[in-house]
Amino acid sequence: MNRSAALANAGWLASSVAATRRFRRALSDPAGTQRTWLQSQVTRHAPSQFGQTHDFASIATYAEFARRVPFADYSKVMPYIARIQRGESQVLSVDPVTHLAPTSGSSGARKLIPFTRGLSAAFDSAVAPWMANLARQRPRLLGGPAYWSVSPLAQEATHPSSRDDDSSVVPIGFADDAEYLGAAKAWLVRQVLAVPASVRHVRDERAFWCLSLLAMLRQSDLRLISVWHPTFLELLVTPDSATWSTLLDAVASGANPWSDALPTSARREWDAPANPARAATLRQIGASEWSRWWPRLQVVSCWGEQAAESGWHRLKAQLATGAPQALVQRKGLLATEAVVTVPIDNALPLAVTSHFFEFISDNGDIRLAHELQRGAHYKVCVSNGGGLWRYQLGDVVECTGHVQATPTLRFLGRGEHTSDLRGEKLAEPFVAEALRELWDSDASPAVAMLRGWDSGDAAGYELVMSGETSTESPAQVVQRLEHVLQANPHYALARRLGQLSALRVVVVAADSEQNALRAGRGTLGDVKPRALVRALPGNVT
C-alpha cells in the first residue's frame, strides 16, 4: 500500500461525506431539491448585475424565474464575459470569477466559461458521490495513486482568437484539471497523482507521452486511471520498441531522459529511486500487455457513449484478460459549464444537487427533472450558479429510467450539427466559417466540405473539394485549413496528442452531384449542402 496516497484518498473521501449524503437523499426528491437549489441561488445572486436586471429579488417560484429570465446560448453571454474580462465584478453572479475556462463553441473558436468558488463546489457536489460510490464498489481503490489525465495547457497563443488573453484581467484557463474542485480538494487530488501536474507545461507532444508513461510505469500499485476519450489511454500505453526500451532503462536507473522538456523548477518532483526489480517485471510482461502492468488496478474511467463507445469496448476487452478485477466505468455527462450526470453503480442519474436543470422536449415543451419520461429525448438547459442562467448546453439526452425518483440519462449527441470523433467537438457553423476563410467568394470551389473518418484504430478529417478554380495545390489548402481549425482548442489538442490524424484532401469532380453526395455519404433524396459531414459506419477512405 502507498501510505501517502492512501492517506490523501482517505482525506478526500472524508471531506466528501456531507456532499455524498446530500446527493443520496436528493435522489428520492429531485423536485424539492431542485426547487430549493433554484431559490437559494436566485436569492444569493440577486445583487449581481444580472440579478438586478432580471429582478431576482422578487422571484419566489420557478414560474416567475422562467418568465423573467430568457433561455440563452453563448452569444447572449458573450457581452457579460467581455465585462468580466475587463475587471467588472458581480456581473453574472456575486462571487468573484477566479478563472475563465476555455471550451469550444458552436459558431466560433471557443467559449470562455466563468468559474467561481460556488461553481467549483457544485462540481465537487457531483464528484464526491461518484468517488464515494467507486470506493464502495472497489475499496482497494483507496490504497494507491491514480492517473487523472491532465491536458498539456502551456501552449503559445498563436491564433487571433487568443489575442484577448493578454488584455483579460481574469486568468484564462486552469493551472490543472484538479482546480475544477476548488483549492482544498485540488490539493488532496494532487497528492495521489501518479503523474505530476507539471506535465501540463510540456509542449513537445512526444515528451508529454513519454513522461506521462514513465511516471505511471514507476507506480506498480496504480489503482485508478481516469481519462476522457479512451483513445487517449490507448495512445499513452502504446510505445514503440525503442521508446519502450528507454522507458524500462529509466525505471531501472531512476533517470529521466525527457527532463529537458520540463521547466527547471519542476524537475525535482520527477526524481525517483532506481527500481531494477520493477523494470525487470515490466520487461517480462512486455510492451503489448499493458493491462498487466498494474496488477492492483481497480478502476478505468472514460467516455463510453456515441463516438467513444467502440474504444470503450476495446478497453473493456483488454482489461478482461489482463486485469479482470478492474471496473471499466463509463463517465457521466460532463461539460465545462456543468456536471449533468453522475456515475452511480451502473446508472447515470442527474446531478440534482449541483445545478438547476430544465429540459426541452422534441415538441418544445419545457420539463423539470422530476417530469422526464423514460425513452423521451430532451435538450439540456442549465443554471449553474457560477453565472450561467437558463443556458442551453446543446447536449441531447435520452431518459433511460430512474434511480429512486431521479432520472437517469444517456448522451445522444449535440443539438446542432457537430462531429466529435475524439473529443474535438467540431460544429458545422465553425467549420463553414473556416472554409470561407480559405477562398475569396468568387474563387471558392463548387464542392468544399469537411468529412470525418474513423477506422476504429485511427480517425481524422479530410477536405473534400473540387479543384477547378483553386490556384493553390491541395497540400497548400489543407495546410491553411489546418491552421484555422486549430482555433478550436479541443481539435488542436487532439491533433497535438495524435488522437486525430493529419488533415488530408480528396478531390472530386465539380460537375458531379453523385460524387459530392458520395463524398458526404448522402443520398439523392436528401440533397442538403453540408460544410461538415460526420463519420458514419464504413466512412473510411
Side-chain angles (χ1 to χ4, degrees), residues 252-315:
S253 66
N256 184 352
W258 301 278
S259 62
D260 287 346
L262 292 161
T264 303
S265 59
R267 292 174 187 174
R268 178 168 293 183
E269 66 179 337
W270 288 77
D271 290 344
N275 195 342
R278 172 66 174 159
T281 298
L282 292 169
R283 187 170 282 110
Q284 184 176 12
I285 293 172
S288 62
E289 298 290 331
W290 71 266
S291 60
R292 296 174 54 208
W293 295 346
W294 301 290
R296 299 179 184 87
L297 184 64
Q298 299 297 307
V299 176
V300 174
S301 171
C302 64
W303 288 338
E305 296 178 328
Q306 296 302 94
E309 187 169 4
S310 61
W312 182 84
H313 282 294
R314 285 198 301 273
L315 288 182

Side-chain angles (χ1 to χ4, degrees), residues 7-304:
L7 288 173
N9 278 323
W12 185 10
L13 198 62
S15 68
S16 301
V17 169
T20 300
R21 287 176 176 171
R22 186 166 59 250
F23 180 78
R24 286 290 187 178
R25 289 195 300 267
L27 291 175
S28 62
D29 184 20
T33 300
Q34 289 278 277
R35 183 171 58 249
T36 300
W37 188 100
L38 179 62
Q39 191 59 57
S40 65
Q41 294 297 312
V42 164
T43 301
R44 172 172 170 72
H45 297 290
S48 69
Q49 296 178 41
F50 188 91
Q52 293 182 54
T53 299
H54 296 86
D55 198 14
F56 275 18
S58 67
I59 293 176
T61 65
Y62 163 70
E64 292 174 354
F65 175 70
R67 280 197 302 271
R68 295 183 187 277
V69 182
F71 283 117
D73 58 18
Y74 190 70
S75 66
K76 298 294 193 298
V77 178
M78 284 178 63
Y80 295 100
I81 300 300
R83 290 158 60 184
I84 292 171
Q85 287 185 271
R86 291 195 297 266
E88 290 189 40
S89 61
Q90 297 193 353
V91 177
L92 289 166
S93 72
V94 297
D95 297 329
V97 176
T98 58
H99 294 80
L100 291 167
T103 186
S104 62
S106 62
S107 59
R110 68 172 183 177
K111 302 177 288 185
L112 295 175
I113 306 304
F115 244 77
T116 65
R117 289 183 179 179
L119 187 54
S120 292
F123 272 77
D124 182 58
S125 293
V127 173
W130 170 41
M131 294 306 298
N133 183 257
L134 280 181
R136 183 182 62 79
Q137 294 183 74
R138 295 290 191 277
R140 293 181 180 178
L141 176 72
L142 303 179
Y147 174 72
W148 294 79
S149 64
V150 177
S151 304
L153 299 177
Q155 303 181 55
E156 296 292 341
T158 57
H159 194 276
S161 66
S162 298
R163 290 175 183 164
D164 61 342
D165 290 13
D166 292 338
S167 61
S168 178
V169 174
V170 179
I172 294 177
F174 288 103
D176 59 62
D177 295 349
E179 286 196 11
Y180 276 89
L181 303 179
K185 292 294 181 71
W187 185 88
L188 287 170
V189 170
R190 293 187 189 108
Q191 307 317 300
V192 303
L193 291 179
V195 178
S198 57
V199 74
R200 69 187 182 275
H201 294 300
V202 177
R203 293 172 180 164
D204 179 84
E205 58 266 32
R206 184 175 184 275
F208 170 82
W209 291 117
C210 292
L211 283 165
S212 298
L213 186 53
L214 173 61
M216 293 174 70
L217 290 174
R218 286 170 168 169
Q219 301 286 347
S220 61
D221 58 349
L222 188 71
R223 305 301 175 98
L224 168 69
I225 295 176
S226 177
V227 297
W228 298 111
H229 202 285
T231 58
F232 185 99
L233 180 56
E234 292 172 356
L235 287 169
L236 178 60
V237 297
T238 312
D240 57 45
S241 57
T243 303
W244 177 246
S245 178
T246 304
L247 285 164
L248 296 190
D249 290 345
V251 172
S253 66
N256 184 352
W258 301 278
S259 62
D260 287 346
L262 292 161
T264 303
S265 59
R267 292 174 187 174
R268 178 168 293 183
E269 66 179 337
W270 288 77
D271 290 344
N275 195 342
R278 172 66 174 159
T281 298
L282 292 169
R283 187 170 282 110
Q284 184 176 12
I285 293 172
S288 62
E289 298 290 331
W290 71 266
S291 60
R292 296 174 54 208
W293 295 346
W294 301 290
R296 299 179 184 87
L297 184 64
Q298 299 297 307
V299 176
V300 174
S301 171
C302 64
W303 288 338

Side-chain angles (χ1 to χ4, degrees), residues 315-540:
L315 288 182
K316 191 172 183 180
Q318 287 176 302
L319 286 162
T321 56
Q325 79 284 353
L327 170 69
V328 186
Q329 186 185 61
R330 286 185 170 94
K331 281 192 184 299
L333 178 52
L334 172 67
T336 305
E337 300 90 337
V339 184
V340 180
T341 58
V342 182
I344 298 294
D345 297 326
N346 294 318
L348 292 169
L350 186 67
V352 288
T353 59
S354 294
H355 320 288
F356 182 77
F357 295 95
E358 298 168 88
F359 299 87
I360 303 175
S361 68
D362 288 340
N363 62 9
D365 291 341
I366 301 170
R367 296 181 179 271
L368 301 183
H370 64 285
E371 299 173 324
L372 301 193
Q373 297 179 348
R374 184 170 187 168
H377 296 177
Y378 304 94
K379 294 179 182 178
V380 183
C381 303
V382 64
S383 298
N384 71 2
L388 300 182
W389 302 98
R390 304 197 82 195
Y391 183 81
Q392 300 180 81
L393 283 177
D395 294 323
V396 179
V397 298
E398 176 187 356
C399 178
T400 57
H402 293 79
V403 172
Q404 298 182 44
T406 297
T408 57
L409 305 175
R410 181 170 71 92
F411 174 66
L412 298 179
R414 300 286 292 176
E416 67 269 19
H417 190 75
T418 63
S419 181
D420 195 9
L421 301 174
R422 296 295 186 266
E424 70 279 6
K425 303 177 185 176
L426 284 181
E428 187 166 39
F430 170 63
V431 171
E433 289 297 321
L435 293 176
R436 290 190 190 100
E437 289 189 30
L438 295 183
W439 302 282
D440 294 332
S441 58
D442 59 349
S444 61
V447 176
M449 67 178 76
L450 192 68
R451 176 176 68 186
W453 60 271
D454 190 346
S455 66
D457 295 330
Y461 290 88
E462 51 196 12
L463 172 62
V464 180
M465 60 172 286
S466 54
E468 76 289 338
T469 60
S470 178
T471 59
E472 296 178 287
S473 69
Q476 289 173 314
V477 174
V478 163
Q479 184 177 13
R480 289 202 296 125
L481 180 58
E482 181 78 71
H483 173 72
V484 176
L485 291 177
Q486 292 202 25
N488 177 316
H490 297 292
Y491 176 89
L493 183 60
R495 281 286 293 114
R496 187 174 177 221
L497 298 182
Q499 291 178 279
L500 289 176
S501 298
L503 190 65
R504 60 197 191 191
V505 66
V506 175
V507 178
V508 298
D511 57 354
S512 172
E513 181 182 61
Q514 286 85 352
N515 280 344
L517 289 167
R518 190 177 298 114
R521 291 296 191 266
T523 63
L524 289 175
D526 185 26
V527 181
K528 297 178 180 178
R530 285 291 192 191
L532 175 65
V533 179
R534 290 173 288 193
L536 300 175
N539 191 356
V540 181

